[in-house]
Structures are given as C-alpha cells and as structure tokens.
Amino acid sequence: MKFTELNLPAEVQRGIDAMGFTALTPVQEQSIPLALDKKDVAAQAQTGTGKTAAFLISLFARLMSDKKTETRAPRALILAPTRELVVQISKDAMGLGQFCGFKIQPIFGGVDYEKQRQALHAGVDILIATPGRLIDYVKQGAVSLGSIEALVIDEADRMFDMGFIRDLRYILRKLPAFDRRQTMLFSATLSHRVMELAYEFMDLAEKIKVAPENVTAEQIEEVLYHVSRREKFALLLGLLKKEPAKCVMLFVNTKREAEHLTGRLQVNGFKAALISGDIPQKKRMRILDEFKEGRIHFLVGTDVASRGIHVDGVTHVINYDLPQDREDYVHRIGRTARAGAAGKAISFADEDLVYYLADIEDYIGHRIPSVFPEDSDFCHTYKAYKPVKKSARGRSAAKPGSPPKKDGAPRRRRPRRRPRGKSSGAPSGKDKS
C-alpha cells in the first residue's frame, strides 16, 4: 500500500515525500487507517518496524483536519521512557511535520530546564516528553494538559520495566477523559500489564499485533563464546585485534562493571566511553554525537542506560555479559544491522551467566552458534587498570596528613588528641589517693 492511497492532508504528504517514504510497513498499514478514523489503537510492534512514523503521520493528519490558528496549550502529547528516544522522535517529527507549521517541543530532564519552561509559556502544539520532567512542569503550573486531543504512549512495556507506571497514571489523570481524546499505545509486547493500562485509559482500543517472521534480524551474524569470567577481557582484546571494529556497543549487566570495562579499554588505547543514567544530559548527548561521528569507537553501557539509542553505523554489538532477561538480548543486538545494513553480535557466556542461554535461545527460536576459543584467540599482554578510589564526596581520597592539593582542596584533618598529663576532670588511674 502506498501513502498516496491514504488521502492525507497535502502538508502531511509533502513531509512524507521529503523523508523519502513511499510504501507502508505492516504496522503502518494496519494502524494508520484506524487512527485516521479516530479510533484508539493498541499496537504491538518491534523497534525498527516504522511505528514512529505510524503515530506521527496519524497525529499530524488529525491535527491538520482541525487546525487552530492560535493556541498556547498543547494539543497532542507523546510519552517515551528515555531522553534519547524523545530526541529521536522529535527529530522524526520535525522531518515529517516540516510543512504542517506545528510547534513541537521535546521535554526531558538533565538539560535546558528554563529554556523548556519558556517554550511552554510561549505555547506549543505537540509535546514529546519523558514522564518525570513533564510532571515537574505540570505541578508548577507551567503547562496544562487539559486541551490534549491525542495521546501517544511509546514503548509502554519499557515504561513498566523502568518503573514509570505511577508517573504514567498521574499524567493520564490530568488529561481529558478517554472518550474526549484519541489514544495510541505502541509496545514491543502487549502483556497483561500493558493491556490493563489500555482497558483503563483507552476507549475500546483496536488491538494490532505485528509479529515479525524472525525475532532477530536476518542481517545479524550471531556468535557465542564460552569463556571463564576471568578471561573475558583477554578474549575481547584478542577478537578486536583479529577483527578491527570502529563502531561497537558493549553491554554489561551492572553500572559498576560498565565503569570498570570502560576504564580497561581506555588504558589499553581504545577510544571508549561510558553511557550511564547519572551522566548529565549535555555530556550524554556529546558522547553520543562523538560516537556517531566516529571520534569514539566503543560505547559501553547497561540495558537501562542504552535504551533509545539509535546509531545506524553500529557494526558490532558485544554482550560482554550475557543478559539475564531474554528480551534484552534481542533489544541489544538490534542496535546493529539497522537500515538494511549487516552487523555482527558477539556474546560471552561465562560460568555464572551461561544458565540464561537456554531461555534466550528458546525466545529467539534458534540456537546461537557457539565456539570454545583457542589460545590464539586471547590477548595475553595488556595493561592493568586500577580504578581511582573515590571519597564520600566524590574526590580521590588523600592520605591523612598530606599537604593541600594545588586546586585548594582541604586536607583531611587528624582527630584531636587529648593533652598528656592529668586532666581537669576525674583523677587518672595512677593517682592512688
């Protein structure tokens, strides 16, 4: 089916043509006609199936059919679980809606607090937001959600996993009643929890399920190495020397391991960076830009920190730690082989995490080709990494009695000692009287 067959507003069709879209994907073909009839939609679709364009096109068409000349309160709201996903949706919205004349404002934490607040005060048509920062503005009275005509909840299952359900319910109760707005919900899985949300806050939603023929992309070459935990880093260096890669994402299961692995790569001459939730947003965006531009070759993170990151040029994904959630395996390796390109997914199964392998293979529907590495696959000479210990205040701990640092940081004080001799209080034990 072609987009020209949908009889969309001319401004929306011009945006579609400018983005180079011609034929609809399965999720677009099923969801857009329903949304154009102003029906609520609950759709199951994986990342990379065109769901973002599906809800943006539906949203623009609805708002264009009843375009208002002057408005300050937002007319549409798109909720997403991560800052990176908000940025990506905003970018797509700017492209598809470039001829519609809508004011589109991303709202997310960690950056531009006052700038976003001023934009809300000036008036916007479409909000694209993470729940936390949006609730902050709502409670301050900086924005009202009482005029929302259409709501989109993207990656609903991830919102449950990341603990956003209470925030989500708070926002939904600030909106007009479900029979006075249109709601579109997109999720990788329409689980019982997601459908409970649909039944409670949607108006007889039409359920759509677009199941891919293969859970993992065909262009991804998968391989798994059985290796002990102590030898994983040596194997990683050996594989990187045999197969040089310039755009690699490495996944681990804990933030502490992510920090340690990043440090080990850096001291051994690799251009690596850490992406974690507590890094300031400006720095996160700078790291991602450097990764996309090739100034950083290795990006290390956990599943939570790396959700919503879409970089078309990723050639390799390395599961340094095998994920404990089988769905996270699909999510991780989906960072490569994007936009029709080929990619490679390498996984390490150590003695602790190998027990999750059977569940992962059952979920993806095939066995991952496994290899027991030979001695030549390891790099036995590399620099050791010694992490700098941090004090309670985040500074490197100094030795007691050391002189002040050049930057003026105060030295640690010695505990005060009592003076020798008799005290002015009770008599000492030597006094026999």
Side-chain angles (χ1 to χ4, degrees):
M1 186 176 182
K2 303 293 185 181
F3 280 104
T4 52
E5 301 176 43
L6 293 174
N7 194 26
L8 296 167
E11 297 87 347
V12 180
Q13 186 62 52
R14 287 181 65 192
I16 294 171
D17 295 339
M19 296 294 288
F21 299 158
T22 55
L24 283 75
T25 65
V27 67
Q28 293 168 354
E29 191 167 345
Q30 293 189 47
S31 62
I32 292 178
L34 292 172
L36 293 178
D37 288 339
K38 299 186 178 180
K39 295 181 180 179
D40 286 6
V41 175
Q44 175 180 335
Q46 299 289 337
T47 300
T49 56
K51 61 182 177 62
T52 303
F55 63 70
L56 286 174
I57 291 169
S58 303
L59 197 64
F60 293 151
R62 176 190 172 91
L63 299 183
M64 288 298 297
S65 64
D66 184 25
K67 191 169 183 180
K68 298 178 181 179
T69 54
E70 293 184 6
T71 179
R72 294 189 63 183
R75 299 177 60 197
L77 172 63
I78 301 172
L79 292 173
T82 66
R83 294 169 281 190
E84 286 74 24
L85 191 53
V86 166
V87 172
Q88 184 64 43
I89 295 172
S90 300
K91 181 180 178 181
D92 293 341
M94 296 293 184
L96 284 168
Q98 58 185 294
F99 303 105
C100 296
F102 295 126
K103 295 180 181 178
I104 301 170
Q105 179 61 44
I107 298 292
F108 53 89
V111 65
D112 294 337
Y113 186 91
E114 189 58 32
K115 184 178 178 180
Q116 292 175 16
R117 183 185 177 92
Q118 291 174 2
L120 292 174
H121 181 73
V124 298
D125 296 301
I126 301 172
L127 285 179
I128 306 173
T130 55
R133 174 60 68 88
L134 179 61
I135 289 176
D136 191 6
Y137 288 131
V138 170
K139 289 183 176 180
Q140 292 184 26
V143 63
S144 171
L145 303 179
S147 300
I148 295 294
E149 303 170 27
L151 167 70
V152 176
I153 303 174
D154 194 18
E155 302 283 3
D157 57 334
R158 295 293 178 187
M159 287 199 176
F160 279 102
D161 293 342
M162 298 173 70
F164 282 126
I165 184 57
R166 291 184 64 184
D167 291 347
L168 198 56
R169 290 182 182 277
Y170 176 89
I171 293 171
L172 288 169
R173 292 190 177 100
K174 296 293 182 180
L175 302 176
F178 59 79
D179 58 345
R180 293 194 290 115
R181 69 165 193 267
Q182 183 181 23
T183 304
M184 290 176 278
L185 184 150
F186 288 81
S187 179
T189 56
L190 291 179
S191 62
H192 175 73
R193 293 187 301 173
V194 174
M195 289 311 300
E196 181 183 2
L197 190 73
Y199 292 137
E200 185 177 356
F201 292 100
M202 299 177 73
D203 187 13
L204 299 175
E206 296 282 347
K207 186 176 178 180
I208 296 172
K209 185 176 181 180
V210 181
E213 296 181 2
N214 298 307
V215 178
T216 58
E218 294 181 356
Q219 300 92 336
I220 301 177
E221 178 189 351
E222 298 174 75
V223 62
L224 180 137
Y225 288 90
H226 291 275
V227 60
S228 69
R229 186 169 184 83
R230 294 182 59 186
E231 295 180 313
K232 283 200 294 187
F233 188 69
L235 177 60
L236 174 64
L237 294 187
L239 294 178
L240 292 178
K241 288 185 177 180
K242 285 186 175 182
E243 190 174 344
K246 296 295 185 182
C247 193
V248 183
M249 291 189 70
L250 299 102
F251 289 95
V252 293
N253 291 343
T254 66
K255 178 189 169 186
R256 182 177 180 182
E257 182 63 38
E259 294 173 345
H260 190 68
L261 179 58
T262 305
R264 296 181 83 179
L265 287 169
Q266 289 173 345
V267 299
N268 283 279
F270 293 92
K271 296 179 180 179
L274 168 70
I275 190 83
S276 66
D278 57 354
I279 292 178
Q281 184 62 18
K282 286 186 177 179
K283 185 176 180 181
R284 282 170 64 96
M285 295 176 70
R286 177 173 57 80
I287 290 173
L288 288 175
D289 288 341
E290 290 178 352
F291 184 58
K292 293 176 182 178
E293 295 167 4
R295 286 180 283 167
I296 292 175
H297 299 158
F298 299 86
L299 193 64
V300 184
T302 61
D303 294 291
V304 173
S306 301
R307 284 174 184 160
I309 295 177
H310 302 294
V311 180
D312 292 338
V314 174
T315 57
H316 292 70
V317 167
I318 299 177
N319 291 308
Y320 192 79
D321 288 342
L322 205 63
Q324 297 169 316
D325 187 332
R326 62 184 190 175
E327 293 183 9
D328 284 336
Y329 176 81
V330 177
H331 176 76
R332 290 180 180 186
I333 69 173
R335 300 307 96 197
T336 187
R338 301 183 67 85
K344 189 170 185 177
I346 301 172
S347 301
F348 293 164
D350 59 42
E351 60 272 22
D352 296 323
L353 299 174
V354 70
Y355 297 104
Y356 298 98
L357 179 60
D359 198 28
I360 292 172
E361 292 181 333
D362 179 67
Y363 179 68
I364 63 178
H366 65 266
R367 296 197 65 179
I368 305 172
S370 59
V371 177
F372 286 92
E374 300 178 356
D375 186 68
S376 60
D377 294 325
F378 295 90
C379 175
H380 298 287
T381 56
Y382 54 86
K383 295 180 181 178
Y385 168 65
K386 295 181 180 180
V388 179
K389 292 183 179 181
K390 300 290 184 179
S391 66
R393 294 184 179 181
R395 295 191 299 267
S396 300
K399 295 181 179 180
S402 59
K405 297 180 180 180
K406 293 182 180 180
D407 60 0
R411 66 184 180 186
R412 294 180 60 182
R413 294 183 179 181
R414 292 184 176 181
R416 182 177 297 177
R417 295 182 178 180
R418 298 177 67 121
R420 294 184 179 181
K422 295 182 180 181
S423 65
S424 57
S428 67
K430 295 182 180 180
D431 190 351
K432 296 182 181 180
S433 59

